[in-house]
Amino acid sequence: MADESDPAAVADATAAFCEDHDGGRDAVEAVLAVDTEHDTWSFDDLPLDSGTFGELVSRGIVTKDGGEYRIASRKGVTAALEGNEVSSADDSSSGTDRFSGLPGVDVRAIGALTGALALLVVMRLLTYRSVFRDGHVVLRGNDPYYYRYWMEELLAESDGLTDWSVVGTLPQGAVERRPLTHATNWFVAELLGGDQWAADMVAAWLPVVATLALGIVLYWLAVVITDDVRVGVTSVFLLALTPIHAVYTGVGFLEHRLHQYFWLGVTLLSIAWIVMDLKRRRDYQPTVDLAIRQHLSDPRTWIAVVALGIALSFSIFAWGGSVLMLVPVAAYLGLKAAIDVREGIPPVRANASLLAGVGVCSLISVVLHFRLGWHEAFAGLVPLLVVIGGVAVVGLGEVWRRFDRSSTSLLGLEIAIAGLGTAAFRSLRPDDWARLLDRSDDLFFREHHDATELGSLFTTENSVIFEPMAQIGLHFYIALVVLGWCCWSAYKRYEPGWLLLASYGLVWLVLATIQMRFAAQLMIPLSVLGGMGLVYLFSWVDLARLPKPLRESDGSRTERPEPAADGGEYAPSIVVPRNWRKLVTLVWVALLICGMSLIFLPSLSAQTTYSDTEFEAAMAIDEHAETVDREYPENFVLSTWGDNRMYNYFVNGESQSYGYAASNFEEFQTGSDPDGWYDQFGDRVGYVVLTDQSNVSAEMTQSRLHEEYGTGGSQTDPLTHYQAIYLDEEVTAFAVVPGATITGSGEAGENVTVETETDVSGETLTYERSTTVGDDGTFSVTVPYPGEYDVGTASVDVSQSAVESRESVPLN
């Protein structure tokens, strides 16, 4: 007889009993269910015959306690049912790992996960050298400077970490669309000291840290749904090698996306834990009611509920397209209620925790909008509509279940309810509805400005199928196959976890089809599906075991489930082939699938970085502005819109908007009268930057400045108001100056030439202007450079201050 204080002995006895009897597992589960509800109980409380019960007692699985009975060790019985190991120590120390002393530690899984996370970080640091340059943090891309601007603005306004008033009084430009992003960036910077160094560190490193956290969440999500650590590790591995995700989350890419991706992952994990906990309890408990009661009484369920509410609301307030975060949640609630009805599960009680999580989200959203003024009204109201709609859906599901109606007809009614709810919102809140439409137009129909991310993931320019391979990788198509399998599995069986990934995957797939920038969100659920597919592929070529969900896909329970733990009499969670041929094959298959990502990821990441010449041009402009004491807006830099925030951040710190550049630069660049723009600029523009372009005519401003450096050519005259301060084949930068006016006298009609040489970026420029003496015997020539000018046989010195103030300099 097993000692009641020895969980290992009870586990062995339970495992032997289950093996010796066809219905042994069901009998043990029935006893465990009763034992969970009562401290002690009698034989009459069990749905067992006396012979089976007597054997449970004789084997030491059940022991007598006073005049009643109880299970000798719940830990031992549970371990036997789940296939886990326990040590032969007492209950308080059983199941500990010999290395860490932590319960259930899987050394192999931790090692593999550490490697996958290391790869994730390395792939986000490919552009490290382009970000950290000469004591400066040069962010990648245009938009990160917008978030850097608001972070530094909030740091300047706040009085330290405890000054929460700044997040309650965010400026209008920051509060409307992404308030949580700006508030979080500020908070983390304050944690690090609140100075410029802290701001630089947050701007550079927060994307990497947030992505590392997302990797851990993604692993957890995959393991919760699949109960297979190999799928979890592979999911992180695939996310690490997804080019479009790496571009948006690499070092120096401070944006709303890093917050959005992380909270999307936590949202998925919270929902997955809630629904999978209930599913597994249902699988192992004798009645659905008991499974639901245990699920709702477990404190971990309510921790997940709170996590869901926080994650969902935070993802809404971190991004301007907040309502899109609620679409897959609403779709999942409707589909989940339908499959509950199909399986005879009470929808109201089964989805109470999910609805509570969305309710917490609604409460937080209302507080954030109506108390702090964050975002727009629809961000606070739409979550409430989702809660109301969810309650209506599960309520109808309860009616459908009790009257044994078809779940298909329930889905049709849910669609009608969604339509009615939308119509009611439009009627009752017309202003919010109009604003919602405006935001939709801004999200999906904004002008492209040559931004690749606003095109479709399936663009016809790359034959439809090749763009996903470049932006995501070949594993995208493996994940799509598994997505189809998910939909089929959820249709045929009760699979709330796969239904969750399918719901999110399909919604984001539709959005990515419209604009490929949503492909990074899509890859969070698709990484799990791709991980599942890749493990299956390895098993198909006899390099691994089948993923656990496929080993149990027929719905039967295995007598001895394989644990996700190291060592023991069962197979380890992760096994590296000892046969070198299999190992080489495994590596080759992985490279075949992921090799394309290893090619595209570095190149796509590099496209968002600024070259050495662009950075040097920014530094040259900043130096010139300090030398001549220009302040904003006189030191505003006009450039192509995609670089505009970067130049202005380093020169004047005003990187909030690139609107002026987007509206005016192209017209300026393609025009033929750059001096004519001087009067239009007024005090609005102090510098212009041009980059190398092809197919330009000699008369265009692009050619006259970038190729002729404003000194004129065979078909054009020298320019009056553009002083070259940085020259390179790739980038040229000019100060817009009033110019100094050289005046003198001579014979009427005489041709006068003024000429000087100046050194710019190690290159000697010759600037020469000609004019004719007027009838009054005088002449004047406006020049943009300081220095000594030769005027015939005479000379004159022009100072920088004369150039800056349009001073008249007489010829002696």
Side-chain angles (χ1 to χ4, degrees):
M1 180 179 292
D3 189 335
E4 66 181 63
S5 64
D6 188 350
V10 174
D12 290 340
T14 304
F17 178 83
C18 291
E19 289 178 350
D20 294 343
H21 297 79
D22 291 339
R25 187 183 186 89
D26 291 333
V28 172
E29 288 174 350
V31 175
L32 181 61
V34 173
D35 194 76
T36 303
E37 292 291 307
H38 308 282
D39 292 333
T40 60
W41 35 266
S42 67
F43 168 71
D44 293 334
D45 295 323
L46 299 178
L48 302 179
D49 58 71
S50 59
T52 302
F53 178 71
E55 188 167 354
L56 288 171
V57 175
S58 67
R59 291 183 183 234
I61 300 170
V62 172
T63 187
K64 199 161 187 176
D65 188 346
E68 295 190 312
Y69 296 90
R70 65 176 175 83
I71 285 180
S73 172
R74 290 181 187 175
K75 183 180 287 291
V77 170
T78 302
L81 292 174
E82 296 180 354
N84 294 328
E85 290 184 60
V86 291
S87 69
S88 55
D90 60 37
D91 248 13
S92 63
S93 61
S94 64
T96 59
D97 183 85
R98 64 183 181 273
F99 297 109
S100 66
L102 296 175
V105 172
D106 182 349
V107 176
R108 291 176 183 249
I110 290 176
L113 175 60
T114 301
L117 292 174
L119 178 66
L120 182 70
V121 171
V122 168
M123 292 298 103
R124 271 58 182 176
L125 295 179
L126 294 179
T127 56
Y128 178 88
R129 289 189 174 182
S130 68
V131 172
F132 294 94
R133 281 191 275 199
D134 299 334
H136 295 276
V137 173
V138 185
L139 302 188
R140 300 162 41 234
N142 194 46
D143 288 349
Y145 289 94
Y146 169 82
Y147 299 89
R148 190 177 195 173
Y149 168 83
W150 282 117
M151 176 175 60
E152 295 181 3
E153 284 288 299
L154 295 178
L155 287 174
E157 292 180 12
S158 72
D159 292 327
L161 187 61
T162 58
D163 184 11
W164 288 88
S165 62
V166 296
V167 300
T169 57
L170 289 173
Q172 190 66 24
V175 75
E176 288 179 345
R177 299 185 182 179
R178 309 170 188 94
L180 184 81
T181 292
H182 300 305
T184 304
N185 294 345
W186 162 79
F187 180 75
V188 177
E190 286 286 10
L191 274 178
L192 296 178
D195 54 11
Q196 186 60 50
W197 176 86
D200 287 344
M201 291 302 98
V202 170
W205 289 108
L206 188 58
V208 179
V209 174
T211 304
L212 180 62
L214 174 62
I216 297 172
V217 168
L218 184 67
Y219 169 82
W220 195 356
L221 169 66
V223 173
V224 164
I225 291 180
T226 67
D227 198 21
D228 194 321
V229 298
R230 299 171 304 157
V231 176
V233 171
T234 308
S235 301
V236 179
F237 178 78
L238 294 180
L239 184 69
L241 294 177
T242 299
I244 192 168
H245 193 275
V247 168
Y248 290 144
T249 57
V251 62
F253 205 92
L254 184 71
E255 251 218 16
H256 66 86
R257 301 173 200 261
L258 65 95
H259 304 279
Q260 183 189 347
Y261 300 159
F262 174 74
W263 291 117
L264 174 59
V266 177
T267 299
L268 278 167
L269 173 59
S270 303
I271 297 175
W273 196 96
I274 290 170
V275 300
M276 293 305 295
D277 177 70
L278 179 57
K279 178 184 184 297
R280 286 176 178 138
R281 291 180 188 274
R282 172 181 176 265
D283 290 342
Y284 288 104
Q285 297 300 340
T287 65
V288 173
D289 287 342
L290 178 58
I292 294 176
R293 285 202 306 273
Q294 291 182 348
H295 168 72
L296 294 178
S297 62
D298 191 333
R300 294 173 299 175
T301 298
W302 299 101
I303 293 174
V305 165
V306 174
L308 171 59
I310 292 173
L312 188 55
S313 59
F314 279 15
S315 64
I316 291 171
F317 284 84
W319 181 40
S322 57
V323 175
L324 293 181
M325 306 303 293
L326 292 165
V327 172
V329 175
Y332 181 69
L333 278 171
L335 294 171
K336 175 71 164 47
I339 66 171
D340 286 340
V341 170
R342 185 188 66 190
E343 296 295 317
I345 299 174
V348 172
R349 295 171 61 210
N351 293 286
S353 50
L354 271 183
L355 288 173
V358 182
V360 172
C361 163
S362 176
L363 179 62
I364 295 175
S365 299
V366 167
V367 170
L368 291 179
H369 174 71
F370 291 101
R371 291 295 299 273
L372 295 182
W374 282 12
H375 221 304
E376 301 181 63
F378 60 76
L381 294 174
V382 173
L384 182 59
L385 292 180
V386 174
V387 174
I388 295 172
V391 170
V393 164
V394 298
L396 284 172
E398 193 68 37
V399 174
W400 250 243
R401 185 184 71 88
R402 294 190 179 188
F403 286 93
D404 198 22
R405 300 292 298 274
S406 166
S407 59
T408 304
S409 62
L410 175 62
L411 283 175
L413 187 58
E414 288 176 359
I415 295 173
I417 290 175
L420 289 173
T422 303
F425 182 72
R426 179 181 179 180
S427 175
L428 297 175
R429 306 284 300 192
D431 292 339
D432 292 330
W433 175 259
R435 186 59 188 141
L436 200 57
L437 291 181
D438 290 341
R439 293 295 298 121
S440 298
D441 289 341
D442 188 42
L443 277 171
F444 297 114
F445 306 107
R446 70 173 69 173
E447 294 183 12
H448 280 224
H449 290 307
D450 300 323
T452 304
E453 67 172 12
L454 300 183
S456 172
L457 179 63
F458 301 97
T459 175
T460 56
E461 294 179 4
N462 288 324
S463 303
V464 179
I465 64 171
F466 292 115
E467 191 66 30
M469 295 171 69
Q471 298 291 335
I472 297 174
L474 187 59
H475 55 274
F476 170 75
Y477 290 106
I478 296 176
L480 279 190
V481 173
V482 182
L483 178 61
W485 175 83
C486 277
C487 296
W488 177 253
S489 297
Y491 173 72
K492 298 294 290 185
R493 301 188 300 274
Y494 187 70
E495 297 288 354
W498 295 124
L499 179 65
L500 173 66
L501 295 182
S503 300
Y504 270 80
L506 289 172
V507 168
W508 289 111
L509 181 62
V510 170
L511 294 174
T513 302
I514 299 172
Q515 290 185 359
M516 74 171 66
R517 62 189 174 129
F518 296 118
Q521 290 95 325
L522 168 65
M523 280 314 298
I524 295 175
L526 249 60
S527 290
V528 178
L529 302 182
M532 174 81 170
L534 196 56
V535 173
Y536 171 77
L537 184 61
F538 287 148
S539 70
W540 186 61
V541 294
D542 197 27
L543 296 175
R545 289 165 291 153
L546 276 171
K548 190 170 183 180
L550 293 180
R551 298 200 299 271
E552 301 175 350
S553 60
D554 60 354
S556 63
R557 299 173 184 171
T558 58
E559 290 297 317
R560 297 294 298 271
E562 291 181 284
D566 190 18
E569 61 179 291
Y570 309 118
S573 58
I574 297 175
V575 179
V576 178
R578 295 183 179 181
N579 184 307
W580 70 270
R581 291 181 182 275
K582 284 192 173 184
L583 183 60
V584 170
T585 303
L586 181 69
V587 172
W588 272 109
V589 172
L591 286 176
L592 179 66
I593 295 171
C594 303
M596 186 170 293
S597 295
L598 292 173
I599 295 173
F600 283 104
L601 195 154
S603 61
L604 289 177
S605 296
Q607 289 178 13
T608 62
T609 63
Y610 291 102
S611 66
D612 290 341
T613 53
E614 289 173 313
F615 174 65
E616 290 168 3
M619 295 298 100
I621 296 172
D622 183 48
E623 181 180 356
H624 182 275
E626 289 188 3
T627 300
V628 300
D629 196 25
R630 289 188 181 183
E631 295 184 355
Y632 188 81
E634 294 176 346
N635 58 355
F636 176 82
V637 184
L638 178 66
S639 69
T640 181
W641 72 271
D643 303 329
N644 195 247
R645 281 179 169 145
M646 184 275 289
Y647 286 118
N648 281 289
Y649 174 81
F650 284 111
V651 175
N652 52 60
E654 297 292 333
S655 56
Q656 179 182 0
S657 173
Y658 60 82
Y660 184 87
S663 301
N664 294 279
F665 180 76
E666 184 176 357
E667 185 179 353
F668 166 77
Q669 180 187 36
T670 57
S672 58
D673 185 17
D675 276 336
W677 275 84
Y678 172 77
D679 293 329
Q680 296 185 44
F681 289 154
D683 293 332
R684 185 66 177 82
V685 176
Y687 300 91
V688 294
V689 178
L690 297 104
T691 55
D692 190 41
Q693 302 288 327
S694 58
N695 300 322
V696 295
S697 64
E699 295 81 13
M700 287 174 55
T701 296
Q702 169 71 28
S703 178
R704 298 183 69 178
L705 287 175
H706 185 69
E707 295 178 10
E708 299 174 359
Y709 304 149
T711 59
S714 59
Q715 303 177 41
T716 57
D717 296 326
L719 298 176
T720 302
H721 297 292
Y722 297 88
Q723 181 187 125
I725 56 176
Y726 182 82
L727 301 177
D728 184 83
E729 291 183 359
E730 181 186 352
V731 178
T732 51
F734 300 83
V736 179
V737 296
T741 301
I742 300 174
T743 61
S745 59
E747 296 183 7
E750 178 185 359
N751 188 52
V752 177
T753 300
V754 298
E755 179 180 347
T756 191
E757 289 187 349
T758 185
D759 290 330
V760 181
S761 303
E763 184 171 345
T764 300
L765 290 185
T766 299
Y767 182 85
E768 181 181 308
R769 290 286 305 276
S770 296
T771 189
T772 303
V773 179
D775 293 339
D776 60 354
T778 63
F779 68 89
S780 64
V781 179
T782 301
V783 295
Y785 290 96
E788 183 179 359
Y789 283 82
D790 294 327
V791 185
T793 58
S795 63
V796 62
D797 287 326
V798 176
S799 65
Q800 181 67 49
S801 62
V803 172
E804 289 292 317
S805 60
R806 204 165 195 167
E807 184 179 327
S808 180
V809 182
L811 178 65
N812 295 327

